Amino acid sequence: MSLLLRVNVVLVIAFALAGWAAHEVCASLQQADARRETLATAGLMLDSALASRAYTAHEIDPLLEPRMQSEFLPQSIPFYAATQTFASLRKLHPQFAYREATLNPTNPRDRATDWQADIINQFRNHPSSLQIQGERSTPMGDSLFLARPIRAQPECLACHGLASAAPATLIARYGNDNGFGWQPNEVIGAQIVSVPEADALQGARRIFSDIMAFIIVMLAVLLAIIDATMYWTVVRPLRQMTRHADEVSLGRAAEESFSSRRGDEIAALAEAFERMRKSLNKAMQMLGGSSRGA
Ligand code: HEC
């Protein structure tokens, strides 16, 4: 196997290992970064839901109050506003889903599913926890979620306390079975944003394949540079020297010197050959002289 081929085999194996290690490290860094970014966006969405609630409570509710005497208008309810706003936002960002999941909701569409109820119960069991984030498996693939607790304040109990104390218009619209009996300061539900993991990682995958393509091109360029350097500094001078030594051994080109103007190991080898050539020439001359003398 030629020297160049041998070096190339070693380098290709080393580069493949380096490429694989870079692949693994980049993949996990990219995924962690994509998750962080998606959860940050989810946090922003939860904050924007709080903002729609505050706007509705402070600006819309007072306007609708006179009409609420005769008819219950859900548009005055901050939590309704947040859910509806998110439904519009979802048209632009269909991968994000938002729930105001509640264990005992007024509107049945807000009822917590099993996994959401687990999160709400975690908040109930750990009153100091302000946020839970995580991943869960779904039939459609893994999904990321971010959740924050919803607590009943004393003022909420006008509509969510005893059914008998709730506005008649509310009872007329929603009935008196659901969304009542909440206790002050009790965690009654959670705001939950979820995103399929595949969507969260999509952007990361694009950047990741760009980085991998860049690394592969860099390694290929590096291999070409190492090959060219090997060829010009080692392989080519060695081949020339071999050819020359062959000629000398066959008695041809005996006067042509091996000298090299370089200062490296190849030049040292050329000098050694040169000394050998001279000694050989001298020995041949002596041999020629003595054979003539005999
Ligand atoms: C004026 C009555 C009223 C008050 C006061 C009120 N709510 Fe509600 N709330 C409702 C109604 C009605 C709905 C259902 C709206 C809909 O159709 O989506 C609702 C919905 C909710 C929901 C969504 C889950 C569900 O039950 O459908 C949450 C969570 C919620 N309210 C929490 C609160 C909190 C916390 C407060 C106090 C800060 C509060 N509410 C104050 C009437 C009220």
Side-chain angles (χ1 to χ4, degrees), residues 30-42 95-98 115 119 132-138 141-147 192-202:
Q30 284 286 327
Q31 284 185 5
D33 197 50
R35 276 195 200 102
R36 234 187 338 266
E37 211 169 284
T38 306
L39 287 170
T41 310
Q95 70 277 31
F96 286 91
Y98 178 72
W115 71 272
I119 293 175
I132 296 178
Q133 65 187 50
E135 283 176 63
R136 57 183 207 95
S137 319
T138 74
D142 288 350
S143 166
L144 283 175
F145 67 85
L146 181 70
I192 304 176
V193 172
S194 53
V195 196
E197 181 126 23
D199 285 305
L201 298 182
Q202 207 167 37

Side-chain angles (χ1 to χ4, degrees), residues 34-52:
R35 276 195 200 102
R36 234 187 338 266
E37 211 169 284
T38 306
L39 287 170
T41 310
L44 196 65
M45 289 180 160
L46 292 182
D47 288 339
S48 88
L50 290 186
S52 345

Side-chain angles (χ1 to χ4, degrees), residues 240 244 247-248 252-259 274 277 281:
Q240 281 172 347
H244 192 169
E247 295 283 299
V248 170
R252 295 196 292 261
E255 299 308 318
E256 207 176 300
S257 90
F258 275 99
S259 72
E274 180 58 15
R277 183 186 69 83
N281 275 356

Side-chain angles (χ1 to χ4, degrees), residues 53 61 68 72-81 83-84 100-111 150-160 166-167 170 173-174 178-179 182 186 188-190:
R53 276 195 222 161
D61 185 37
M68 292 280 277
F72 193 89
L73 299 169
Q75 289 77 3
S76 70
I77 302 297
F79 286 81
Y80 176 86
T83 303
Q84 293 298 101
E100 280 171 351
T102 307
L103 295 178
N104 171 19
T106 309
N107 187 331
R109 81 167 167 183
D110 298 322
R111 186 173 301 284
I150 302 175
R151 284 177 191 279
Q153 311 298 327
E155 68 269 21
C156 315
L157 304 187
C159 299
H160 294 292
L170 186 152
R173 188 181 172 104
Y174 294 94
N178 297 308
W182 298 2
E186 180 192 12
I188 49 86

